[in-house]
Amino acid sequence: MGVNPPDMLPSDTSQVVPASPPSKRKRIETNGSISAVAKAPKRKKSKNRSSTHDQGLDMENNISTIVRDLNNQLMADYVAQKIRRHGSDLSLIELEEKYIPEQAFLDTSTWDMPRTLENFPSFLERFSLNAGSTRNLSAASKKKGAPHTIVITSAGLRAADITRTLRTFQTMDATVSKLFAKHIKLKAAIEHAKTTRMNIGIGTPSRLIDLLDEGALSSEKLERLVVDCSHIDIKKRSILDMKETFWPVIQLLNRVEFKARYGADSSRLDVIFF
């Protein structure tokens, strides 16, 4: 049967049932735009996460208080939790290799003052114990580039602030050394470390790794690694919250020469979270 010619089409088009309008979902897919009605309800997850994060902040002193009350076991659990969060794409074996053992951490939960810059020297004095006796933080080894204390921080400006604060421990024979700044190139930092008797070195984790790999910084006399984790930036992030600083911290703490000394009876090396 042939197709009716145009003049044989029904004249009363009111009888024709119009096609149903596309659904909202269909309009979204075909037009690529979303009407005010079709918008999905706002997700509250990120807001809740932000609120939870803010609960661990002391906004008056602009610091994080999360590690304040953690003993060494809880500290190890907390760092392991951070490793799993930042390393969600890693296998179980890869995660296990990055965990820091409980015996590495020195328990500082008895410190009841804010972990602010002005309290940093007192904090170090309180927890700088070696073989049961107080360590003289103003002393330095005769070996160049061999500090007894390394402070790991998130950025050059923060390293400069800590250096100024800890210079209370500097003497003619012991230099509190800033090992990173935007204007200090690696070559200059290597030369400085190789020629300086230092008691305390302060730097970012990546720079410290470079200096250790180059042999400019020695761990021979090292007694403590202090992680500056209470400080937060303008976005309320600590050194442990940012992947670009967190993973170098974990890489540094997991160095073979360090792990061999965690919990050791002699030549013990402590990880201290400030």
Side-chain angles (χ1 to χ4, degrees):
M1 181 176 177
V3 178
N4 290 335
D7 58 355
M8 295 180 67
L9 290 174
S11 58
D12 185 4
T13 56
S14 63
Q15 301 296 324
V16 180
V17 178
S20 59
S23 66
K24 288 174 183 151
R25 181 179 298 275
K26 187 103 175 178
R27 286 204 302 273
I28 293 170
E29 293 173 355
T30 55
N31 298 339
S33 61
I34 303 176
S35 67
V37 179
K39 282 185 179 178
K42 291 183 179 179
R43 296 177 63 187
K44 297 182 179 180
K45 186 176 180 180
S46 60
K47 184 177 180 180
N48 291 339
R49 183 182 297 174
S50 176
S51 299
T52 302
H53 178 68
D54 287 354
Q55 290 175 4
L57 300 179
D58 175 354
M59 298 311 299
E60 181 180 350
N61 291 303
N62 200 38
I63 57 174
S64 169
T65 60
I66 292 176
V67 304
R68 179 185 59 192
D69 301 318
L70 303 183
N71 60 25
N72 55 333
Q73 180 180 353
L74 292 175
M75 195 74 76
D77 291 342
Y78 173 68
V79 173
Q81 181 187 66
K82 285 285 188 181
I83 289 172
R84 289 191 294 270
R85 177 174 296 176
H86 290 309
S88 57
D89 58 336
L90 300 178
S91 68
L92 289 176
I93 295 177
E94 290 172 321
L95 290 172
E96 286 286 344
E97 291 173 345
K98 296 183 184 301
Y99 292 151
I100 310 298
E102 174 187 331
Q103 64 268 25
F105 297 97
L106 186 69
D107 185 352
T108 63
S109 59
T110 56
W111 180 259
D112 57 3
M113 298 177 67
R115 303 194 182 203
T116 53
L117 200 58
E118 56 268 27
N119 290 331
F120 211 152
S122 299
F123 177 88
L124 272 187
E125 286 180 321
R126 168 79 176 276
F127 295 104
S128 295
L129 303 177
N130 183 35
S133 61
T134 302
R135 171 73 180 184
N136 181 6
L137 292 173
S138 296
S141 168
K142 291 183 178 179
K143 181 175 180 177
K144 307 292 177 61
H148 55 62
T149 301
I150 285 178
V151 179
I152 309 164
T153 191
S154 56
L157 288 176
R158 178 65 176 176
D161 290 341
I162 295 174
T163 301
R164 282 191 292 270
T165 301
L166 297 186
R167 280 199 172 132
T168 185
F169 301 119
Q170 183 164 297
T171 67
M172 293 289 292
D173 299 318
T175 302
V176 175
S177 294
K178 178 176 61 177
L179 300 174
F180 177 82
K182 287 185 177 180
H183 65 279
I184 301 177
K185 302 300 182 185
L186 178 59
K187 184 177 180 181
I190 290 173
E191 183 62 24
H192 171 76
K194 284 184 174 180
T195 58
T196 303
R197 284 183 62 185
M198 65 178 74
N199 52 347
I200 302 173
I202 302 104
T204 58
S206 295
R207 172 57 59 87
L208 293 168
I209 290 170
D210 289 340
L211 292 175
L212 287 163
D213 287 346
E214 292 287 339
L217 199 61
S218 170
S219 61
E220 182 180 335
K221 304 296 182 181
L222 191 60
E223 297 181 5
R224 63 197 63 85
L225 292 161
V226 184
V227 183
D228 176 38
C229 59
S230 294
H231 170 71
I232 55 175
D233 64 10
I234 194 171
K235 296 182 179 179
K236 304 178 184 179
R237 302 172 304 177
S238 77
I239 192 172
L240 303 180
D241 293 326
M242 300 175 282
K243 278 189 175 184
E244 61 268 27
T245 53
F246 176 78
W247 286 124
V249 168
I250 297 304
Q251 182 184 349
L252 180 58
L253 298 183
N254 270 315
R255 289 181 72 90
V256 174
E257 66 268 33
F258 292 169
K259 293 184 74 172
R261 296 171 56 191
Y262 293 152
D265 293 330
S266 60
S267 70
R268 176 186 173 91
L269 178 63
D270 288 318
V271 175
I272 302 174
F273 275 21
F274 174 66

